Amino acid sequence: MASEQQYIDLYEQARQMVFDHAPEAMNAVRDQAFEDFKAQGFPSKRVERYKYTDLQKLFAPDYGVNINRLEIPVDPYEAFHCDVPNLSTSLYFVVNDAFYHKVQPQVHLPEGVIVGSLRDNPGFIAKYYARLAKTSEDAVTALNTMLAQDGLLVYVPKNVKVDRAIQVINILKATPQNAQRQVPDLMVNRRVLIVLEEGAEIKMLFCDHAADDKNFLATQVIEAYVGDNASLDLYCLEETHAKNVRVSNVYIDQQANSRVNHNVITLHNGTTRNKLDLTFSGEGAECACYGCVIADKQQHVDNNTLIVHKVPHCTSNELYKYVLDDQAVGAFAGRVLVEHGAQKTTSQMTNQNLTATREAHMFTQPMLEIYADDVKCAHGSTVGQLNDAALFYMRQRGISLDEAKLLLQNAFINEVIDHMQLEPLRDRLHYLVEKRFRGELNKCEGCKLCK
């Protein structure tokens, strides 16, 4: 049986239950998403954008899905120990795929700013939901749209600047209230909608953590609308465990003179597949996309990006760096598309990678597709091992081999971290990265990784 058949059967059998526990505006696009998912099925590795990750295999296990919205008790402050000190964020929680209402930060947001549940804001769903994330073009997006029942809304009105960063902790937890039997492995479908009106500014930090020692499959779809002269800093930090599968699709639309800073940091995981689709819809916009990956054992991290320059005078910059150890597998596929008429485009794409063992594998595929003649575009990638001459130099001065490797790996990966705009987050990541390389990274309660 193909992997998608179990999800088709699930939807057909439980459709009414899905509808009963979701807002009408999300249900309005659900059936079309189901038809799109049935028509596509999960892509095979023969599909260009999915050639490095076997989605059919990832979605084949029989995961439980909390369609009936059973309460899953969690004390977020007990489950979450990996906070960023001195960052002074407004702290919110999403448990699996639902906004957590029971704990709210005691911080007053600027007038008109919304950070809350999609369920509580149906007007925004009707206007923006599933407009960027087209279900006809991606099977994972279609699956997420047909099963998601709630999500997170972030809205910043015109010319409002949110000075205090918004930190959202995504906690994966499988044990429901008064569970009388063995809890199955869990699939969650998380949805995020970000809307920035003209001149709005916000910084957001998403942190993924697992509070149970279970197999999790998390699909995530983020849609971000960035208006004229608006500014969005979006940081996504993953610190889960080896039993976690994360498939995330991010869709960003930028209007004139807007700025986006998108950062993906993978410090601990099982299998991760991140897709970023960013479109310049207004002139003078710019984006900076950075990725930092540290993987070992049998971990797998695949980042796939598409940046579309539809209009003139836009600037994009990408820098992704990987350090792979043991039998880890990494992949980066980036494509910059410059459409007809998008003159004066400036674009730079760089992917640099270190493999610490001969068993680690890195796949890299930077691509430029240009249909305009007045542009400045470049791309490059490297895959190599630690510099033997540098190691020898350091060992001659009394530094152990392990310490020398750690120093070189740190120096390599820190170039990405140093681009981040939140200084306390930079400092914290420098600390976490060093602990990660030393095998000492503290983990959330229940993940078993540091016991």
Side-chain angles (χ1 to χ4, degrees):
M1 182 180 70
S3 298
E4 56 269 9
Q5 188 59 50
Q6 63 177 319
Y7 301 101
I8 294 172
D9 294 342
L10 171 66
Y11 186 80
E12 290 177 336
Q13 295 165 12
R15 175 183 178 277
Q16 191 57 52
M17 189 182 299
V18 174
F19 272 64
D20 289 344
H21 294 278
E24 182 179 347
M26 294 182 75
N27 290 336
V29 297
R30 198 178 302 280
D31 284 341
Q32 184 58 55
F34 173 64
E35 295 300 326
D36 290 337
F37 178 73
K38 278 202 306 182
Q40 297 173 76
F42 290 116
S44 71
K45 296 180 74 173
R46 290 190 294 254
V47 176
E48 183 67 24
R49 294 199 73 178
Y50 287 93
K51 65 191 297 184
Y52 301 118
T53 301
D54 190 346
L55 282 194
Q56 294 182 350
K57 180 179 179 181
L58 293 182
F59 283 85
D62 183 13
Y63 290 94
V65 184
N66 188 15
I67 291 175
N68 205 28
R69 315 313 296 170
L70 298 176
E71 183 180 358
I72 298 180
V74 58
D75 180 347
Y77 291 103
E78 181 66 23
F80 173 65
H81 298 295
C82 307
D83 56 332
V84 183
N86 302 318
L87 189 55
S88 298
T89 60
S90 298
L91 190 60
Y92 296 86
F93 294 91
V94 172
V95 178
N96 293 331
D97 52 11
F99 183 77
Y100 190 76
H101 291 87
K102 295 181 180 180
V103 177
Q104 298 289 324
Q106 301 300 312
V107 176
H108 180 68
L109 293 172
E111 184 176 357
V113 175
I114 299 173
V115 179
S117 169
L118 282 176
R119 178 189 296 274
D120 298 334
N121 297 276
F124 288 94
I125 304 177
K127 185 174 181 179
Y128 295 102
Y129 185 75
R131 297 296 189 268
L132 295 180
K134 294 181 173 58
T135 58
S136 61
E137 298 178 2
D138 186 275
V140 174
T141 296
L143 177 66
N144 180 282
T145 305
M146 81 186 207
L147 292 178
Q149 294 170 286
D150 193 9
L152 174 71
L153 169 69
V154 178
Y155 169 73
V156 185
K158 182 177 179 180
N159 295 327
V160 173
K161 180 178 180 180
V162 182
D163 294 320
R164 193 181 185 95
I166 302 297
Q167 186 176 9
V168 179
I169 313 303
N170 296 316
I171 297 178
L172 295 170
K173 188 168 176 61
T175 308
Q177 183 81 34
N178 302 320
Q180 300 297 319
R181 57 185 177 84
Q182 180 67 27
V183 177
D185 300 326
L186 186 66
M187 174 185 183
V188 304
N189 299 285
R190 187 184 305 127
R191 198 71 182 220
V192 179
L193 177 61
I194 302 171
V195 179
L196 273 61
E197 300 284 7
E198 178 183 348
E201 294 185 23
I202 196 170
K203 294 180 173 63
M204 299 201 62
L205 169 61
F206 288 92
C207 301
D208 284 13
H209 296 271
D212 279 342
D213 186 25
K214 290 286 183 180
N215 294 311
F216 290 101
L217 170 59
T219 73
Q220 174 177 269
V221 173
I222 298 177
E223 296 177 280
Y225 297 82
V226 186
D228 292 352
N229 298 295
S231 176
L232 171 65
D233 283 12
L234 183 60
Y235 303 88
C236 300
L237 171 62
E238 183 180 4
E239 292 181 82
T240 55
H241 57 48
K243 295 182 179 181
N244 188 65
V245 175
R246 178 181 191 265
V247 183
S248 174
N249 291 349
V250 177
Y251 300 89
I252 301 176
D253 181 78
Q254 290 190 239
Q255 296 298 319
N257 302 307
S258 62
R259 184 189 66 82
V260 166
N261 186 6
H262 179 263
N263 301 265
V264 177
I265 308 104
T266 306
L267 294 186
H268 218 300
N269 73 311
T271 300
T272 298
R273 207 277 177 172
N274 297 317
K275 185 180 86 163
L276 169 66
D277 284 9
L278 186 148
T279 301
F280 290 114
S281 298
E283 294 189 25
E286 58 183 62
C287 75
C289 304
Y290 300 110
C292 165
V293 175
I294 302 171
D296 56 12
K297 302 181 178 67
Q298 284 78 43
Q299 294 165 356
H300 178 106
V301 184
D302 176 1
N303 283 293
N304 188 291
T305 70
L306 169 63
I307 296 180
V308 181
H309 290 257
K310 295 180 66 175
V311 294
H313 300 285
C314 292
T315 301
S316 63
N317 183 43
E318 292 182 82
L319 174 62
Y320 280 73
K321 285 195 169 189
Y322 291 61
V323 176
L324 305 177
D325 206 344
D326 301 326
Q327 292 83 44
V329 175
F332 171 80
R335 177 176 166 224
V336 173
L337 171 60
V338 182
E339 296 189 351
H340 291 284
Q343 306 294 354
K344 304 297 182 180
T345 287
T346 301
S347 178
Q348 173 67 49
M349 181 196 307
T350 305
N351 174 226
Q352 297 175 331
N353 312 282
L354 282 180
T355 54
T357 65
R358 294 187 180 277
E359 291 75 28
H361 294 280
M362 182 68 203
F363 302 93
T364 179
Q365 188 181 25
M367 295 170 282
L368 297 177
E369 188 173 345
I370 302 172
Y371 299 98
D373 55 12
D374 186 6
V375 301
K376 294 180 181 179
C377 298
H379 69 294
S381 66
T382 60
V383 180
Q385 295 185 319
L386 293 174
N387 188 296
D388 289 336
L391 286 173
F392 178 77
Y393 177 86
M394 297 170 76
R395 295 194 69 190
Q396 288 295 100
R397 280 146 183 81
I399 301 175
S400 69
L401 178 60
D402 288 343
E403 191 70 15
K405 287 182 177 179
L406 185 145
L407 291 173
L408 290 176
Q409 289 172 337
N410 255 329
F412 177 80
I413 211 75
N414 281 343
E415 181 185 357
V416 176
I417 297 173
D418 288 339
H419 281 288
M420 297 182 183
Q421 302 297 311
L422 290 175
E423 184 175 350
L425 176 60
R426 283 202 308 270
D427 296 340
R428 179 64 172 171
L429 285 174
H430 284 308
Y431 170 74
L432 290 176
V433 164
E434 181 176 347
K435 289 181 74 67
R436 177 68 175 90
F437 282 130
R438 293 185 186 277
E440 302 171 357
L441 186 61
N442 292 326
K443 303 304 298 169
C444 294
E445 180 183 352
C447 74
K448 312 291 186 185
L449 287 175
C450 26
K451 297 183 179 179

